[in-house]
């Protein structure tokens, strides 16, 4: 049983508790959506102000070198690398996850000439599937977007599959795929593996190189706390960097951009996968987010996230059973990533009512309520208080109002 005294004790004994102070969070807010947009690191406001008031205002164009703007995609990539089991020089921070998926698929196809299919699972995050479909349309069907049921992916491998695109932690259920085992099976079939780590990076320990992964990408604004629309990251295993083609062959991926030659000559290293001018403001905010992780380690964060998730599930069954919530995430702490999802036929209205009461999660159509359990800044007491508010919302039917039924474009 989780009484309030034992929950307070969990917070008192939490070695990660001081890290909450690294974030600017409004008092009274229970923020359970760090899996969708992380809160601002305290350092971000100051760092961005310095960038604008000093580096940009005073340094102007000289800051590309003097303030290290030009190296920021690599510098930030190198700071993300240890969180995902990559080596220095294997990660850049640039573009969006969607664009990086396209870059990864094109690079993989260039390494597997003759193979013409990209394989993924139905129910993957939509942009992953949409980018595959865009590639199919663009090539007039020469490259096939093969989308199969989640449990049919490995069975569908054949010698036409150039690459497999999968998300390690599912955005709805938070169920975790075995990165190493899947990569091995894909390699056994002669294909390459592209991992979408949007819900993994900064949430669970990831070891891309131990798994022999080929390509990966993921968001900067979710668990990495890089701010709205933060640059994403892209991983290319060192062994593929010189061989694979950068299809978005912009000047920043050129061997010598400032030679201004007419012919494209790709950089030999990860630089090749840059396209245009880095988005420096975004990179600087992302860097602040990533640096917080260097104060702890992914194992410790994972342990606390598992405990927060366990507490959430246990308290929901203790205090909210009978209100129609169905757990939509794995109950096994080892198989569940950084959020807990419940199905409910009135999920949309319930989430609107919770938000009005300062419990922020999100809703994923058609019926999923998602609650992020982000260990950097959440307290065990936040989980307990959130479940109490969910209980109140249900017991008093607070969700049952017309205002909460109005659908907005952004959930
Ligand atoms: C959030 C998310 C994305 C988002 O991609 P953007 O290009 O940043 O909008 C992609 N894939 C997965 C699995 C996600 O969860």
């Amino acid at each position: 049983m989780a009484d309030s005294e034992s929950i307070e004790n969990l917070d008192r004994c939490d070695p990660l508790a001081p890290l909450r102070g690294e974030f600017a969070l409004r008092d009274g807010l229970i923020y359970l959506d760090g899996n969708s947009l992380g809160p601002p690191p305290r350092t971000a406001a100051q760092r961005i102000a310095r960038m604008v008031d000093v580096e940009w205002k005073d340094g102007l164009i000289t800051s590309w070198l003097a303030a290290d703007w030009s190296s920021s995609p690599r510098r930030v990539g190198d700071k993300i690398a240890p969180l995902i089991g990559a080596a220095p020089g294997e990660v850049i921070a640039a573009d969006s996850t969607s664009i990086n998926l396209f870059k990864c698929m094109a690079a993989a196809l260039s390494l597997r000439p003759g193979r013409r299919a990209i394989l993924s699972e139905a129910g993957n995050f939509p942009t992953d599937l949409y980018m595959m479909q865009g590639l199919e349309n663009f090539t007039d069907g020469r490259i096939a977007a093969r989308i199969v049921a989640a449990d049919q992916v490995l069975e569908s491998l054949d010698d036409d599959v150039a690459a497999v695109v999968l998300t390690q932690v599912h955005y709805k259920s938070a169920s975790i795929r075995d990165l190493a085992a899947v990569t091995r099976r894909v390699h056994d079939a002669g294909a390459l593996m592209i991992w979408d780590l949007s819900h993994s990076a900064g949430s669970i320990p990831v070891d891309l190189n131990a798994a022999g992964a080929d390509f990966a990408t993921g968001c900067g604004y979710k668990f990495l706390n890089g701010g709205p629309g933060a640059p994403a990251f892209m991983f290319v295993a060192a062994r593929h960097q010189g061989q694979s083609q950068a299809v978005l062959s912009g000047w920043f991926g050129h061997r010598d951009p400032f030679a201004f030659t007419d012919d494209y000559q790709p950089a030999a290293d990860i630089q090749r996968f840059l396209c245009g001018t880095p988005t420096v403001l975004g990179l600087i905010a992302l860097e602040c987010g990533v640096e917080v992780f260097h104060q702890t380690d992914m194992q410790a964060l994972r342990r606390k996230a598992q405990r927060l998730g366990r507490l959430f599930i246990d308290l929901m069954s203790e205090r909210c059973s009978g209100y129609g919530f169905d757990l939509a995430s794995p109950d096994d702490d080892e198989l569940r990533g950084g959020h807990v999802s419940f199905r409910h036929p009135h999920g949309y209205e319930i989430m609107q009512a919770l938000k009005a009461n300062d419990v922020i999660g999100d809703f994923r159509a058609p019926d999923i309520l998602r609650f992020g359990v982000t260990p950097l800044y959440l307290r065990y007491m936040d989980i307990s208080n959130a479940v109490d508010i969910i209980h109140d919302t249900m017991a008093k039917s607070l969700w049952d109002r017309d205002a909460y039924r109005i659908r907005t474009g952004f959930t």
Side-chain angles (χ1 to χ4, degrees):
M1 281 302 269
D3 53 65
S4 72
E5 197 178 319
S6 69
I7 291 169
E8 274 167 28
N9 207 40
L10 286 172
D11 282 318
R12 255 195 308 278
C13 302
D14 174 12
L16 299 178
L19 289 173
R20 181 178 169 85
E22 297 293 322
F23 294 90
L25 285 159
R26 177 163 67 73
D27 277 345
L29 185 72
I30 304 181
Y31 192 60
L32 305 176
D33 213 5
N35 52 308
S36 204
L37 175 66
R42 278 200 192 282
T43 50
Q46 262 182 335
R47 181 68 189 88
I48 290 169
R50 188 172 87 228
M51 192 280 182
V52 175
D53 294 341
V54 181
E55 296 173 10
W56 187 5
K57 178 171 124 317
D58 296 340
L60 283 162
I61 201 154
T62 66
S63 288
W64 278 105
L65 286 179
D68 267 343
W69 290 351
S70 62
S71 64
S72 51
R74 267 186 97 131
R75 185 181 71 242
V76 178
D78 281 345
K79 289 182 181 180
I80 294 170
L83 306 180
I84 55 173
E90 286 187 311
V91 182
I92 43 164
D95 304 317
S96 65
T97 299
S98 304
I99 290 171
N100 287 333
L101 281 164
F102 187 83
K103 289 152 67 179
C104 289
M105 291 191 286
L109 284 161
S110 75
L111 293 171
R112 290 292 178 272
R115 293 186 174 226
R116 306 193 320 176
I118 306 275
L119 177 65
S120 190
E121 60 169 320
N124 196 350
F125 190 86
T127 212
D128 299 55
L129 305 180
Y130 299 164
M131 295 308 288
M132 288 170 60
Q133 291 161 20
L135 192 54
E136 181 178 90
N137 290 336
F138 178 61
T139 60
D140 239 345
R142 195 178 66 78
I143 304 300
R146 198 187 289 177
I147 297 163
V148 302
D151 59 358
Q152 293 298 307
V153 174
L154 298 178
E155 285 72 9
S156 303
L157 285 162
D158 59 28
D159 53 18
D160 206 25
V161 174
V164 178
V165 177
L166 287 174
T167 303
Q168 189 193 11
V169 179
H170 197 274
Y171 77 104
K172 274 189 180 166
S173 68
S175 69
I176 304 176
R177 279 198 185 262
D178 186 331
L179 192 97
V182 171
T183 304
R184 203 176 314 118
R185 286 284 300 275
V186 168
H187 286 172
D188 287 348
L192 295 163
M193 190 62 219
I194 300 168
W195 283 108
D196 186 331
L197 302 178
S198 292
H199 282 273
S200 312
S203 175
I204 65 171
V206 178
D207 203 338
L208 287 171
N209 280 330
D214 302 291
F215 300 92
T217 182
C219 298
Y221 49 82
K222 292 174 178 166
F223 291 92
L224 295 178
N225 308 313
F233 61 86
M234 176 174 177
F235 160 87
V236 181
R239 65 185 178 283
H240 294 320
Q241 289 176 9
Q243 276 70 45
S244 51
Q245 209 187 315
V247 67
L248 299 182
S249 46
W251 70 309
F252 259 79
H254 192 277
R255 180 190 298 166
D256 187 3
F258 288 89
F260 295 106
T261 58
D262 286 347
D263 295 320
Y264 176 73
Q265 295 285 337
D269 58 9
I270 190 77
Q271 202 84 5
R272 168 179 303 200
F273 298 96
L274 292 177
C275 183
T277 307
T279 51
V280 181
L281 276 166
L283 283 159
I284 280 170
L286 174 59
E287 188 167 30
C288 294
V290 172
E291 280 173 351
V292 177
F293 286 86
H294 295 184
Q295 299 183 35
T296 174
D297 65 80
M298 285 314 305
Q299 305 292 342
L301 289 170
R302 173 70 177 144
R303 271 194 302 278
K304 181 176 171 189
Q306 285 175 313
R307 287 184 189 142
L308 290 167
R310 181 80 261 147
L311 182 66
F312 202 112
I313 293 170
D314 288 347
L315 292 180
M316 280 296 284
S317 62
E318 231 176 86
R319 301 177 190 170
C320 293
S321 67
Y323 290 122
F325 292 101
D326 272 332
L327 184 63
S329 295
D331 186 53
D332 184 338
D333 296 345
E334 293 301 318
L335 301 179
R336 190 183 59 247
H339 64 271
V340 178
S341 295
F342 293 92
R343 246 184 219 102
H344 195 288
H346 300 296
Y348 184 82
E349 297 92 309
I350 294 168
M351 189 53 78
Q352 296 291 97
L354 292 175
K355 285 180 181 169
N357 279 300
D358 268 357
V359 174
I360 315 284
D362 63 25
F363 172 76
R364 287 295 171 261
D367 59 355
I368 299 266
L369 297 110
R370 286 198 310 187
F371 299 98
V373 284
T374 45
L376 278 174
Y377 44 84
L378 282 180
R379 299 163 295 207
Y380 293 92
M381 197 45 95
D382 293 322
I383 301 295
S384 175
N385 291 338
V387 175
D388 281 343
I389 293 170
I390 295 171
H391 173 268
D392 246 33
T393 303
M394 302 314 294
K396 299 178 188 158
S397 294
L398 300 179
W399 57 271
D400 194 6
R401 291 188 193 162
D402 284 342
Y404 296 149
R405 278 184 267 276
I406 299 167
R407 300 274 172 147
T408 57
F410 211 103
T411 60

